[in-house]
Amino acid sequence: MSGEHILFETRVGSLARLTLNRPAARNSLSVAMLEQLHDGILRLGETPDVHVIILSGTGPAFCAGHDLRELTAARLQPDKGQSFFHETMSKCSQLMTAIVHCPKPVIAQVHGIATAAGAQLVASCDLAVAERGARFATPGVNIGLFCSTPMVALSRNVSRKAAMELLLTGEMIEADEARRIGLINRIAETGSLEEVTEELAAQIASKAPATLRIGKEAFYRQIEMPLTEAYSFASQVMTANMMIPDAEEGISAFLEKREANWQR
């Protein structure tokens, strides 16, 4: 649990959960929240007995994006807030990058709304499970502030036209549409969100940790490469993967029709 109680950390076996806890502010991403989330992701990514990380929120929303009240208050500074705005956006970008670079799979557990940088947070996670009533938007255009940093994660997870429609209209979409365009993976019926998310997390956590690390890193590296370069890189990764003990154990277990005993 964090010192300021704006971020809770809990563990269940090999699953770690970071819970945003600013319910009155719809879990908006203040500088303090960005810093604590960033530190939590880095620390849990290096914690050996944690295999999967879940991000969730308290109160009526998953995350409503940046803290607009905090940003507005910064306009009273001599530079009209420019340095604070730069710091905020930089810290946000560092958090999203840390999630992608984290060696452990990160799952967003979404309820209520996920808007602007909140939608960016969902898109930055490796997987996302949303409650049936969850809604998503990048509404910056409605207040004269294009969602440029959310655009980076969004455009890498959904089709270009779907991303542009969200960014240009600022409209809310429902969970079914979010799943159709690839922003989320699964929809949980009301009251079962945590259960569905943890079932998915446990399924992934049962795999060989070393293989998950190799696969996640390779996925994000190859996706930015040209096709031929991507295949060359992936071939090298698979060759290296074949040489680790878990691959030898997993193949032997499959051939011998038994459960694999992964190195933990």
Side-chain angles (χ1 to χ4, degrees), residues 51-126:
H51 297 164
V52 178
I53 302 168
I54 298 172
L55 297 186
S56 58
T58 60
F62 172 72
C63 179
H66 288 297
D67 189 332
L68 296 182
R69 293 186 185 279
E70 186 177 68
L71 292 172
T72 299
R75 291 191 183 277
L76 298 176
Q77 297 174 0
D79 65 351
K80 297 185 178 180
Q82 184 174 3
S83 60
F84 183 77
F85 302 156
H86 177 73
E87 177 190 12
T88 299
M89 301 310 160
S90 295
K91 288 184 181 296
C92 184
S93 297
Q94 289 165 14
L95 167 62
M96 305 305 168
T97 304
I99 291 172
V100 172
H101 290 167
C102 179
K104 314 296 173 64
V106 182
I107 304 175
Q109 177 185 299
V110 188
H111 73 288
I113 61 168
T115 55
Q120 179 185 7
L121 187 59
V122 175
S124 297
C125 289
D126 304 302

Side-chain angles (χ1 to χ4, degrees), residues 29-209:
L29 299 174
S30 62
V31 167
M33 179 69 84
L34 290 169
E35 290 174 343
Q36 292 191 30
L37 271 172
H38 183 261
D39 291 347
I41 291 292
L42 291 182
R43 178 172 40 77
L44 291 173
E46 298 303 320
T47 302
D49 59 347
V50 169
H51 297 164
V52 178
I53 302 168
I54 298 172
L55 297 186
S56 58
T58 60
F62 172 72
C63 179
H66 288 297
D67 189 332
L68 296 182
R69 293 186 185 279
E70 186 177 68
L71 292 172
T72 299
R75 291 191 183 277
L76 298 176
Q77 297 174 0
D79 65 351
K80 297 185 178 180
Q82 184 174 3
S83 60
F84 183 77
F85 302 156
H86 177 73
E87 177 190 12
T88 299
M89 301 310 160
S90 295
K91 288 184 181 296
C92 184
S93 297
Q94 289 165 14
L95 167 62
M96 305 305 168
T97 304
I99 291 172
V100 172
H101 290 167
C102 179
K104 314 296 173 64
V106 182
I107 304 175
Q109 177 185 299
V110 188
H111 73 288
I113 61 168
T115 55
Q120 179 185 7
L121 187 59
V122 175
S124 297
C125 289
D126 304 302
L127 300 171
V129 179
E131 197 167 47
R132 174 69 62 185
R135 297 187 299 160
F136 305 80
T138 49
V141 68
N142 296 330
I143 59 171
L145 183 66
F146 198 81
C147 285
S148 298
T149 47
M151 172 181 67
V152 175
L154 194 65
S155 64
R156 282 163 168 73
N157 283 268
V158 305
S159 71
R160 290 187 179 188
K161 284 184 168 54
M164 284 298 286
E165 183 173 356
L166 285 169
L167 292 162
L168 292 173
T169 67
E171 290 181 349
M172 284 276 193
I173 61 170
E174 307 292 332
D176 284 330
E177 178 66 4
R179 184 179 185 185
R180 188 188 71 80
I181 66 174
L183 182 58
I184 63 173
N185 299 87
R186 300 184 182 185
I187 298 174
E189 299 304 326
T190 303
S192 65
L193 177 59
E194 184 171 324
E195 178 184 358
V196 172
T197 305
E198 291 188 353
E199 284 179 354
L200 176 60
Q203 179 183 1
I204 295 167
S206 70
K207 314 304 181 186

